[in-house]
Amino acid sequence: MKTRIAVAKGDGIGPEIMEAVLNIFEANEVPLEYEFVEMGKSYFDAGHSTGMTEAAKATIENLGILFKGPMETPKGKGVKSINVTARKVWNTYANQRDFRTLNGVQTVFSKAGIQINMTIIRENIEDTYGGIEHMITNDVAVGRRIITRPGSAQVIRYAFEMARRKGLRKLACGHKANIMKLTDGLFLETFYEIAKDYPEIQASDIIVDDLCMKLVSHPEMFQAIVLTNLQGDIVSDLCAGLVGGLGFAPSANIGDNISIFEAVHGTAPDIQGKNIANPTALLLSGISMLRFLGLTGHAATIENALLYTLEKGVHTGDFGDRATKSSNTTEFAECIIANLGKHPSVGGAHGQPNFECKTNSDFTPEKNKITVTDPNIKEEILGADIFVEFTGQPSELAEIAKSKLNDKFELIMISNRGTQVWPTGSVYTELVNQFRIRYEKVDNSELTQRDIFDLAAQVSDAVKVGSVEFLMKFGDKIGYSLAQGQ
Ligand code: NAD
């Protein structure tokens, strides 16, 4: 029985490296059947705003697995990256990138005899990748960073399950909760909450800047790390550098219904059409996909042939011994095919499945799923932050803000770029033309949404209001941060 999967060849070097990988699969008689789908730059150019045809979308949703080459996002046409859109629309919430020392791929660590074998799990949907950005004034751009409890729980549980499946002893959470106390704080809190279900795995956390420093000085300290989206993006490229660069970085985007396997690198337009691209990253992604589909024997045979080939010094132009002749993409794939059945002298492939296999055939949703972790939590409105455009001194804005007060509110503070400038501040703090006015309720008042919008309307009579954020309390937890210096 062959498993049907969707395949998108991609743009730039995509078709060349995809052909090389599919030839290797064919030579190993991997029982897959390919449905080639129409996705990528030419489909943007043909007027498909998502970069794919309706038929492609239907095929991918039906089959649940997409094996894709890199795709170009047209610049300056107001379109979003097809790669990011695909991950978000289909809720592939966990991005798994496995990095290991490959014999034949020289790095500073391989030369020093330090073996690297680690997995980065990056949250794949949330964070600044929502792309929710606004110019609030002509000088001030604001982006929303969205971290949710269900979204964090989904990817963190995935990371612990992955660690358990691989028999790892340790999982670290990378974060910046010392600065972003609510967003990264929520991710970190969820991490330790879920860690309780996995007592055999040593859970720890590390601030992301310290993590980067330790990764480049002692990468062998880490087995697996889970991070939020943007930090995970940066840290995983750093890890790609540790094992030889983007040409060796595979990526699996795992969801409950649809999963996408692709290389980390892009379309490499500078070498497109020359048949010199390195297909290793896409091949490693394909090997992960085979394990995901339960084809662990084929995965191990192909991985061993790749490792043997690298160990023998065969290389494309982007790595390896410059004194020996480079193979082109086709020759590199042919060497791997010729080496099917051979084993590297060290660090051979593992036989166990990397992933818990879940495809669309198991579960096709009829409605959008919505998760609320505690629908009965007590909520209270404690006040509002009103963001306004103003060009003047803080004390002048304070007079305006006070003049709009009613008996339900008191004026607490004014900040500029997150730093308190009233009632106290420093004359050395430089200002831009957007301020935040914080109002809180007076002791015994009870606030409604209408109270907040009425107050904002009053303020808007005097200054331009850009946006309003409620100051909330959930249960016994305050749901907003203090200003610097407050
Ligand atoms: P890139 O990864 O395409 O290229 C960076 C450098 O690495 C180039 O010098 C390139 O020649 C080299 N390189 C990349 N892959 C290689 C390979 N397999 N073999 C040998 N050399 C390789 O990054 P970029 O130039 O910033 O991006 C080009 C395009 O790719 C952009 O349109 C970008 O949006 C897109 N992109 C797509 C994805 C994806 O589909 N997941 C990821 C990243 C970038």
Side-chain angles (χ1 to χ4, degrees):
M1 259 287 276
K2 287 188 172 181
T3 304
R4 284 169 69 217
I5 64 164
V7 176
K9 293 181 182 173
D11 303 315
I13 58 169
E16 301 161 44
I17 54 175
M18 185 60 82
E19 187 187 338
V21 171
L22 296 188
N23 284 344
I24 295 167
F25 283 5
E26 195 184 321
N28 190 235
E29 296 177 3
V30 175
L32 290 178
E33 198 177 309
Y34 310 120
E35 292 265 346
F36 290 95
V37 294
E38 298 174 319
M39 269 178 104
K41 181 176 181 298
S42 55
Y43 300 97
F44 275 120
D45 293 344
H48 297 279
S49 60
T50 55
M52 72 181 102
T53 60
E54 277 304 310
K57 182 167 177 275
T59 302
I60 295 161
E61 290 184 356
N62 181 33
L63 298 179
I65 301 281
L66 171 63
F67 187 34
K68 71 177 273 296
M71 288 176 192
E72 181 182 336
T73 304
K75 290 194 186 90
K77 292 190 183 170
V79 291
K80 296 211 170 186
S81 157
I82 187 173
N83 308 302
V84 177
T85 304
R87 292 171 208 155
K88 287 169 66 68
V89 168
W90 291 318
N91 205 53
T92 63
Y93 52 82
N95 181 257
Q96 177 169 336
R97 298 180 181 182
D98 296 306
F99 301 102
R100 60 186 290 201
T101 302
L102 297 163
N103 268 356
V105 182
Q106 274 206 347
T107 65
V108 283
F109 298 103
S110 67
K111 284 184 202 160
I114 297 171
Q115 292 289 314
I116 297 172
N117 189 355
M118 80 180 122
T119 300
I120 303 289
I121 305 286
R122 160 190 170 194
E123 196 286 318
N124 221 12
I125 311 284
E126 307 191 334
D127 203 339
T128 46
Y129 286 70
I132 305 172
E133 299 191 318
H134 298 93
M135 293 294 295
I136 305 276
T137 76
N138 185 44
D139 288 345
V140 180
V142 175
R144 282 196 169 229
R145 179 163 193 254
I146 299 172
I147 304 289
T148 72
R149 204 182 295 278
S152 302
Q154 214 170 22
V155 68
I156 290 166
R157 190 165 292 286
Y158 176 86
F160 275 104
E161 286 292 323
M162 183 278 310
R164 181 175 272 177
R165 238 185 343 269
K166 282 192 171 183
L168 304 183
R169 288 172 287 106
K170 301 190 282 187
L171 176 66
C173 175
H175 65 88
K176 193 76 184 168
N178 53 330
I179 303 296
M180 292 174 280
K181 294 184 194 310
L182 295 188
T183 47
D184 272 27
L186 177 58
F187 193 76
L188 185 59
E189 179 188 315
T190 309
F191 174 78
Y192 279 117
E193 200 53 45
I194 290 177
K196 291 178 195 157
D197 296 339
Y198 301 85
E200 78 280 18
I201 297 167
Q202 185 194 325
S204 63
D205 70 276
I206 179 161
I207 293 174
V208 68
D209 33 350
D210 186 25
L211 171 65
C212 290
M213 196 266 292
K214 291 208 166 80
L215 278 170
V216 294
S217 51
H218 292 289
E220 73 283 4
M221 281 174 65
F222 299 95
Q223 294 188 334
I225 309 163
V226 62
L227 300 112
T228 51
N229 202 342
L230 179 60
Q231 292 168 26
D233 191 6
I234 297 164
V235 168
S236 54
D237 271 25
L238 185 155
C239 291
L242 300 179
V243 296
L246 286 180
F248 302 94
S251 143
N253 303 281
I254 306 293
D256 284 342
N257 304 111
I258 297 173
S259 296
I260 304 171
F261 295 83
E262 62 182 339
V264 170
H265 64 71
T267 58
D270 50 332
I271 56 168
Q272 167 182 0
K274 295 182 178 164
N275 195 30
I276 57 171
N278 178 0
T280 306
L282 188 65
L283 181 59
L284 288 169
S285 311
I287 290 168
S288 292
M289 178 179 71
L290 298 185
R291 291 207 167 93
F292 182 89
L293 293 170
L295 300 169
T296 45
H298 290 279
T301 304
I302 295 171
E303 190 173 7
N304 279 329
L306 166 69
L307 296 172
Y308 180 88
T309 305
L310 293 172
E311 200 178 82
K312 289 287 161 209
V314 179
H315 64 95
T316 47
D318 55 308
F319 75 101
D321 183 354
R322 306 281 148 158
T324 63
K325 186 178 166 293
S326 307
S327 301
N328 66 30
T329 311
T330 315
E331 291 162 349
F332 188 75
E334 281 167 356
C335 276
I336 296 171
I337 290 170
N339 290 331
L340 286 167
K342 297 194 173 136
H343 286 76
S345 61
V346 288
H350 65 82
Q352 79 269 35
N354 247 5
F355 306 94
E356 186 191 352
C357 180
K358 279 188 198 158
T359 66
N360 235 10
S361 51
D362 300 326
F363 168 63
T364 304
E366 283 169 6
K367 292 190 205 162
N368 293 86
K369 183 176 155 198
I370 174 156
T371 308
V372 179
T373 56
D374 184 356
N376 299 319
I377 190 101
K378 186 171 176 298
E379 296 184 6
E380 194 183 350
I381 303 173
L382 300 184
D385 279 345
I386 300 180
F387 293 83
V388 300
E389 183 168 349
F390 184 72
T391 315
Q393 289 302 306
S395 55
E396 293 161 9
L397 183 59
E399 288 312 308
I400 296 171
K402 276 188 221 162
S403 72
K404 304 300 177 188
L405 279 173
N406 58 43
D407 57 5
K408 293 188 171 176
F409 292 96
E410 58 184 326
L411 178 62
I412 299 297
M413 64 101 186
I414 295 174
S415 71
N416 192 293
R417 289 193 282 179
T419 304
Q420 179 171 297
V421 291
W422 183 92
T424 56
S426 165
V427 76
Y428 292 98
T429 305
E430 292 194 12
L431 308 176
V432 297
N433 63 355
Q434 194 217 25
F435 289 75
R436 167 177 56 166
I437 307 172
R438 173 163 290 180
Y439 291 102
E440 286 181 9
K441 74 184 183 88
V442 293
D443 276 352
N444 296 321
S445 67
E446 265 195 27
L447 295 181
T448 64
Q449 283 196 67
R450 176 55 70 103
D451 292 326
I452 302 291
F453 286 118
D454 284 348
L455 177 66
Q458 288 291 321
V459 173
S460 74
D461 286 341
V463 282
K464 190 177 125 206
V465 172
S467 60
V468 177
E469 290 288 349
F470 286 45
L471 304 181
M472 298 295 300
K473 190 174 177 190
F474 297 97
D476 57 3
K477 279 196 184 150
I478 298 289
Y480 52 93
S481 56
L482 299 180
Q484 298 284 332
Q486 192 184 352

